[in-house]
Amino acid sequence: MSTSSFPPSPLTAQLRRRCLPLLVALTAAFVPMPEVHAAIKVVATVPDLAAIASAVGGDAIAVKSLSLPSQDPHFVDAKPSLALELNRAQLLLTVGLELEVGWLPNLLVGARNPAIQPGSPGHLDCSKFVTRLDIPGGPVDRSQGDIHPGGNPHYLYDPRAALAVGAGIAQRLAELVPDKAASIRANLAAWQKDVDAARLRWERRLAPLRGQPVLSYHKTWTYLADWLGFVPVGTLEPKPGLPPSPSHIARLLGLARSRKVTLVLQEQHYPEATAQLVASKIPAALVRIPAATNVPAGETYLQHLEVMLQAIARGVGVEK
């Protein structure tokens, strides 16, 4: 009779129970596992760039913004924690046109990451994808204020520019993670379709704004005006980055009344008191664009624009 017909002794059964988990673990250690592709780390200088990258990159990337939605992106505290984020990054997305010139260069030095330095594949200046506006016609110096020699950097307020930026980001991501290129292209196509649909909806909603004269605090709205057709007639800042002065405000009030300005636009990170005074004296509606932090956590680029354009629509009486 074969010995296999006998039941195992209690000692043999106990040894089997104890050794089986170890044998399974040892076997698994020598079995080839499928290759896991970790998401690459992307850092953007502003939340809108981070949101666009997230939409087109999908699960191929993990993305973080260096600045907060409530911050003025011209002035960001170059904290060591931000340098650490850059140290770990494989791709850096910048607005460019010297928007970040006051704080990003120091962070790049502190990051000690050659992969994301200017000129490397891991550094993408997104202004290269857009048609730049407000390019100074002559020599530029600091006496003119915080002026941008390469053009106005606030192009992400125009969804047409954002579409070009999204395509540029998708192309660079596909180069960095070629095994994810197909899914990145699919994400891009779906996002472009959503942006185009939203753009047409916004254009219909804000058609009454076309041709209207508008004041603003900072020269932020050039690209939005180019898209929606309203007419910027002046800024509360006498020069970019300089606070309003009484003499400048007095001249601006005369201009606003003669041009029949009906709307004053201001982002929430700028002081409110002067804008309120000017709007009341014209008189005109004051629309302070809410910070993106008012949108639920995990906001998308389209959600941010929706909040902003809804506030403008209410300001001009298109919506209640």
Side-chain angles (χ1 to χ4, degrees), residues 124-237:
L124 187 59
D125 179 347
C126 294
S127 68
K128 66 187 287 187
F129 304 117
V130 304
T131 301
R132 294 170 293 157
L133 302 177
D134 287 343
I135 300 173
V140 173
D141 59 53
R142 299 310 296 175
S143 68
Q144 298 167 287
D146 186 18
I147 197 165
H148 299 273
N152 191 309
H154 302 288
Y155 52 81
L156 289 174
Y157 284 148
D158 182 346
R160 300 171 302 180
L163 284 169
V165 169
I169 293 173
Q171 177 60 39
R172 184 60 57 89
L173 289 174
E175 293 167 2
L176 292 175
V177 277
D179 58 305
K180 296 284 189 178
S183 65
I184 290 169
R185 284 193 291 268
N187 292 340
L188 173 64
W191 180 75
Q192 288 174 325
K193 183 178 179 180
D194 290 342
V195 173
D196 278 330
R199 178 178 59 82
L200 293 174
R201 185 174 68 251
W202 291 327
E203 288 171 0
R204 289 192 296 268
R205 181 194 300 177
L206 289 162
L209 190 59
R210 187 165 297 277
Q212 286 201 34
V214 174
L215 287 184
S216 64
Y217 187 93
H218 181 72
K219 204 170 186 179
T220 305
W221 310 103
T222 297
Y223 294 91
L224 189 72
D226 182 69
W227 168 40
L228 293 176
F230 62 85
V231 182
V233 300
T235 62
L236 274 64
E237 292 178 331

Side-chain angles (χ1 to χ4, degrees), residues 1 37 74 113 123 146 166 184-185 196 258 300:
M1 182 181 292
H37 297 281
H74 296 86
N113 182 355
H123 186 114
D146 186 18
I184 290 169
R185 284 193 291 268
D196 278 330
S258 67
T300 67

Side-chain angles (χ1 to χ4, degrees), residues 22 24 26 190 194 229 236 251 275-277:
L22 178 61
V24 170
L26 289 172
D194 290 342
L236 274 64
R251 289 192 297 270
Q276 282 183 329
L277 176 65

Side-chain angles (χ1 to χ4, degrees), residues 72-75 154 217-220 237 266-273 288:
D72 182 345
H74 296 86
F75 307 105
H154 302 288
Y217 187 93
H218 181 72
K219 204 170 186 179
T220 305
E237 292 178 331
Q266 181 188 31
E267 293 160 299
Q268 281 189 346
H269 53 250
Y270 291 113
E272 182 179 5
R288 297 187 74 235

